[in-house]
């Protein structure tokens, strides 16, 4: 009888361990779409050019943003390249700093990314992505450089084309309202890396060179 219970126990245990592993996908590609419809990303025909403004903040801060992009560049290795430029006009992605949470309804915002369409009246061709990184808390005190890094890592994901959010807690692209660590660097999970690689291996609906919509 003991043996029977042991077998039943092991049988159920195997479900407990196997089912969650089967139920959790290794990517969130379908959550990256703009308006849940369109894959939007940079065309693979040239490296993605990133400009980071160094004039507004300490060099350490702009360096943190650069490090964040380098993590995504590593993740995209062999699929897509990212390079840094010193003129905003040459860039696909423009990163600047401001106290973003001063704006109405943005009290909880650490940073944000917006799409600049090539033509204002025609939202089917990507012009630029503009990232704003928050500099100060509502209280007026500055964010730590690690908080800046964590915010930049998330916003860089958006600017590269992960326009939605990951549904999985722990991924860097989990929705913006998450506990911000001021002392611990967040990382790209295996799922974040797989997702960005898949996105750049998937036919884009909207890019900066052409449109399929
Ligand atoms: Zn976000």
């Amino acid at each position: 009888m003991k043996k029977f219970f042991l077998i039943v126990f092991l049988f159920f245990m195997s479900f407990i361990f196997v089912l969650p592993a089967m139920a959790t996908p290794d990517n969130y590609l379908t959550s990256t779409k703009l308006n849940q419809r369109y894959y939007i990303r940079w065309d693979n025909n040239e490296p993605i050019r990133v400009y980071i403004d160094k004039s507004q903040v300490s060099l350490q801060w702009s360096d943190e943003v650069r490090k964040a992009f380098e993590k995504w560049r590593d993740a995209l290795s062999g699929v897509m390249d990212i390079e840094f430029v010193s003129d905003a006009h040459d860039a696909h992605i423009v990163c600047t700093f401001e106290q973003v949470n001063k704006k109405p309804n943005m009290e909880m915002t650490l940073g944000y990314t917006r799409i600049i369409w090539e033509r204002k009246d025609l939202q089917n061709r990507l012009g630029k992505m503009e990232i704003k990184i928050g500099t100060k808390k509502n209280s007026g005190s500055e964010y730590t450089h690690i908080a800046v890094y964590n915010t930049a890592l998330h916003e860089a994901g958006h600017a590269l084309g992960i326009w939605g959010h990951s549904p999985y807690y722990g991924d860097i692209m989990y929705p913006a309202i998450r506990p911000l660590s001021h002392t611990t660097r967040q990382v790209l999970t295996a799922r974040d890396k797989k997702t960005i690689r898949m996105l750049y291996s998937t036919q884009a609906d909207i890019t900066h060179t052409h449109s399929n919509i």
Side-chain angles (χ1 to χ4, degrees), residues 144-196:
T144 65
H145 65 101
I146 291 180
V148 166
Y149 172 82
N150 291 337
T151 300
L153 197 58
H154 180 89
E155 297 307 323
H158 283 317
L160 292 171
I162 301 178
W163 201 248
H165 284 111
S166 167
Y168 308 108
Y169 186 79
D171 290 347
I172 196 64
M173 296 315 291
Y174 192 73
I177 298 172
R178 62 196 194 281
L180 176 72
S181 174
H182 294 269
T183 51
T184 310
R185 286 181 193 277
Q186 292 188 318
V187 296
L188 301 184
T189 60
R191 194 163 32 233
D192 289 317
K193 293 177 190 175
K194 176 104 193 240
T195 300
I196 196 75

Side-chain angles (χ1 to χ4, degrees), residues 8-23:
V8 170
F9 176 72
L10 286 176
F11 179 75
F12 281 106
M13 283 301 279
S14 67
F15 267 95
I16 290 166
F17 286 112
V18 170
L19 277 179
M22 282 167 59

Side-chain angles (χ1 to χ4, degrees), residues 10-81:
L10 286 176
F11 179 75
F12 281 106
M13 283 301 279
S14 67
F15 267 95
I16 290 166
F17 286 112
V18 170
L19 277 179
M22 282 167 59
T24 310
D26 65 357
N27 71 86
Y28 49 90
L29 182 68
T30 53
S31 304
T32 67
K33 292 176 176 181
L34 172 70
N35 299 336
Q36 298 169 354
R37 287 181 74 181
Y38 306 117
Y39 287 116
I40 178 169
R41 64 166 174 82
W42 302 100
D43 196 340
N44 301 57
N45 68 341
E46 58 179 341
I48 303 166
R49 296 189 295 274
V50 177
Y51 169 80
I52 302 164
D53 189 3
K54 295 183 175 69
S55 67
Q56 301 161 289
V57 291
S58 73
L59 213 62
Q60 191 181 26
W61 278 26
S62 54
D63 232 42
E64 293 295 346
V65 178
R66 184 187 172 101
K67 281 182 202 162
F69 271 98
E70 284 171 351
K71 290 291 175 200
W72 286 106
R73 184 173 67 184
D74 293 348
L76 277 166
S77 176
V79 179
M80 187 65 184
D81 199 11

